[in-house]
Amino acid sequence: MEWSDFRDKKIGLLGAGKENLSLLPWLTRAGGSITLHEQFDQQIPKGLIKQFAELKLVVGAAHLDHLDVYDYLFRAPGLPVDRVTKSLANGSKLPVVTSVTDLFLSIFPGQVIGVTGTKGKGTTATMIGNFLEAAGKQVVVAGNIGRPIFDIFETLSDQVIVVLELSSFQLEDVKHSPNIAVVLPVTEEHLQPLSSVSPNYHHSRVDYVEAKSNIAKFQTVDDSVVFAGDDPSATQIALTSLGSKRRVSTINPQADYFLQTNGQLFKHGQAFFDFNKTAIRGQHFLLDAALAISALEDYITKEDIAKGLANFKTLPHRLELFTTIDGVAFVDDSYATAPDATIAALSAFRQPIILLAGGSSKGVSFSQLAQAVSHSTVIKVLLIGQEAKRLSQALAKESLKIPIEICHSLEEAVRLAKVQAKEGEVVMLSPACASKDMFADAADRGEQFQALVRK
């Protein structure tokens, strides 16, 4: 796609999310006739029509009717693909259905590094950005993290390396892949709608993995993919690429990059970097760092890695040790919205843990989490939200001797944790669930947790 493709064309923006809204000035300049379709009136920013006088709106329950009048449709990541497909099934013509992500990947002339996986995308993308900055490169980190890419598109040149954190919903309808694809472990996620405002989900784990695979599927022989080689789904995705492949493993010393449990990283069989000399903690963070390093094999030195890690700060609500009170460490891991993320968080601490978990459902199993809790340093579990009962049942099936208590609110859980925690212990919010039952989002949950702890 090129900007000239949109001149005098009818364009439908499906969903008033920030990505679609970031396209408005660009499509307007390109000479397109633009209509914004949105189910919920409150999602449309005030003053939008005043800013874009020629913009037309279709709002309400029938907002997906008559989509066959368009030449191009840009689907917001929160809108299920099958809703669009169903709407077009009996249409008189078939528009080009695309997305902000696919447009960017098709028109940006510089290098793009894409990062996907179930958990750790933001951390890995941020580390890649830090390493490139340490190496003196021009870099922008965007996508599912930070500002929409077309909000800053005007500032980009072909000398800028763009790092995109890419969710399954951003990837599911793309027809272009980044130059370098980074694939973290892929487990279960998004198997049922989060809410009416964010209704997108994958009908099965197979569909979820298939959506993720687009990060590598359209690569050429000049591209490359870096992947968590111990994970079958990440390996499956990497094999769809025509590009060169670099495997990162914590099991196989013969992998391109081998991360030992003692923090030593080997590159092509040779000792390369010692994470013990850094402040990075948690095996999952070390794997994120190893994948980031592998992705930048041709760009950075060991000195750049050390400098980049020295400047790295844990992202908010991601295993964030935000305060210590009377010798008790309080950790906000609110972005652990799936069981595997909480499992990884449990391994980051050797101290006794009081775990706060629970929230709204994503339709996933808690059996592996229950097993992990039984083998961890968790001494008590406080549960909240829609999934509290199901989590409690899963934990009980493991015949745990760990006390489990269901609380009516996060405030109650925090109060109990503060009363019961002793010096040298960790109180950690790592929910293993989404947040839509009690909070605006995972960030809101984390902010409320921190405020309650400090209260």
Side-chain angles (χ1 to χ4, degrees), residues 211-343:
K212 292 278 191 188
S213 70
N214 286 340
I215 197 171
K217 186 184 295 182
F218 304 103
Q219 286 189 317
T220 71
V221 293
D222 297 321
D223 298 325
S224 62
V225 58
V226 172
F227 63 104
D230 303 330
D231 181 73
S233 295
T235 302
Q236 174 187 334
I237 292 169
L239 291 176
T240 67
S241 173
L242 294 177
S244 60
K245 300 169 181 65
R246 289 196 286 277
R247 177 183 179 186
V248 179
S249 175
T250 60
I251 298 173
N252 186 357
Q254 305 305 314
D256 301 284
Y257 285 77
F258 172 51
L259 175 64
Q260 292 184 328
T261 54
N262 64 2
Q264 296 286 336
L265 180 65
F266 287 76
K267 174 182 176 181
H268 305 305
Q270 302 295 318
F272 179 67
F273 193 81
D274 184 2
F275 285 113
N276 292 302
K277 297 179 180 179
T278 73
I280 302 298
R281 65 186 301 163
Q283 194 67 15
H284 57 310
F285 278 143
L286 297 186
L287 179 60
D288 294 343
L291 285 158
I293 290 167
S294 178
L296 302 176
E297 186 171 80
D298 300 326
Y299 289 92
I300 59 174
T301 65
K302 285 189 281 189
E303 290 70 27
D304 298 329
I305 295 168
K307 184 177 178 182
L309 289 177
N311 294 331
F312 175 76
K313 293 182 179 179
T314 302
L315 297 173
H317 317 301
R318 291 174 171 89
L319 213 64
E320 179 187 358
L321 175 55
F322 63 92
T323 192
T324 300
I325 301 174
D326 296 331
V328 177
F330 289 86
V331 177
D332 174 5
D333 195 34
S334 183
Y335 274 153
T337 59
D340 63 289
T342 299
I343 291 170

Side-chain angles (χ1 to χ4, degrees), residues 26-278:
W26 294 95
L27 293 176
T28 301
R29 285 181 222 171
S33 175
I34 310 163
T35 303
L36 175 63
H37 292 247
E38 173 57 55
Q39 182 174 359
F40 302 102
D41 182 69
Q42 65 269 26
Q43 295 296 109
I44 299 174
K46 294 179 180 178
L48 191 65
I49 291 296
K50 186 178 291 187
Q51 185 180 0
F52 299 97
E54 302 299 317
L55 177 67
K56 295 179 280 293
L57 296 177
V58 176
V59 182
H63 70 294
L64 296 182
D65 290 355
H66 310 301
L67 296 183
D68 58 336
V69 302
Y70 294 105
D71 299 297
Y72 291 90
L73 293 173
F74 284 87
R75 183 193 63 85
L79 179 65
V81 173
D82 56 3
R83 287 194 187 178
V84 181
T85 303
K86 183 179 180 180
S87 177
L88 293 170
N90 299 314
S92 58
K93 71 171 185 178
L94 191 63
V96 175
V97 181
T98 185
S99 65
V100 170
T101 299
D102 199 39
L103 176 62
F104 176 76
L105 290 172
S106 70
I107 65 174
F108 182 63
Q111 287 283 301
V112 179
I113 302 172
V115 183
T116 200
T118 300
K119 290 298 171 187
K121 300 184 294 294
T123 297
T124 305
T126 302
M127 285 180 173
I128 290 173
N130 278 26
F131 295 153
L132 288 170
E133 284 184 353
K137 307 292 184 183
Q138 297 181 63
V139 60
V140 166
V141 181
N144 202 42
I145 184 174
R147 298 177 65 188
I149 193 64
F150 281 103
D151 275 0
I152 55 174
F153 188 71
E154 203 159 22
T155 67
L156 304 180
S157 72
D158 59 5
Q159 299 303 305
V160 175
I161 300 172
V162 175
V163 185
L164 293 179
E165 179 195 342
L166 296 170
S167 71
S168 58
F169 298 141
Q170 289 171 307
L171 286 166
E172 61 186 333
D173 52 7
V174 304
K175 298 296 185 287
H176 302 81
S177 296
N179 307 100
I180 300 174
V182 182
V183 187
L184 282 69
V186 178
T187 53
E188 287 187 341
E189 183 84 297
H190 303 304
L191 297 185
Q192 66 183 48
L194 283 179
S195 68
S196 60
V197 176
S198 182
N200 206 358
Y201 74 105
H202 301 287
H203 293 285
S204 68
R205 191 180 189 284
V206 172
D207 291 337
Y208 176 56
V209 174
E210 185 176 346
K212 292 278 191 188
S213 70
N214 286 340
I215 197 171
K217 186 184 295 182
F218 304 103
Q219 286 189 317
T220 71
V221 293
D222 297 321
D223 298 325
S224 62
V225 58
V226 172
F227 63 104
D230 303 330
D231 181 73
S233 295
T235 302
Q236 174 187 334
I237 292 169
L239 291 176
T240 67
S241 173
L242 294 177
S244 60
K245 300 169 181 65
R246 289 196 286 277
R247 177 183 179 186
V248 179
S249 175
T250 60
I251 298 173
N252 186 357
Q254 305 305 314
D256 301 284
Y257 285 77
F258 172 51
L259 175 64
Q260 292 184 328
T261 54
N262 64 2
Q264 296 286 336
L265 180 65
F266 287 76
K267 174 182 176 181
H268 305 305
Q270 302 295 318
F272 179 67
F273 193 81
D274 184 2
F275 285 113
N276 292 302
K277 297 179 180 179
T278 73

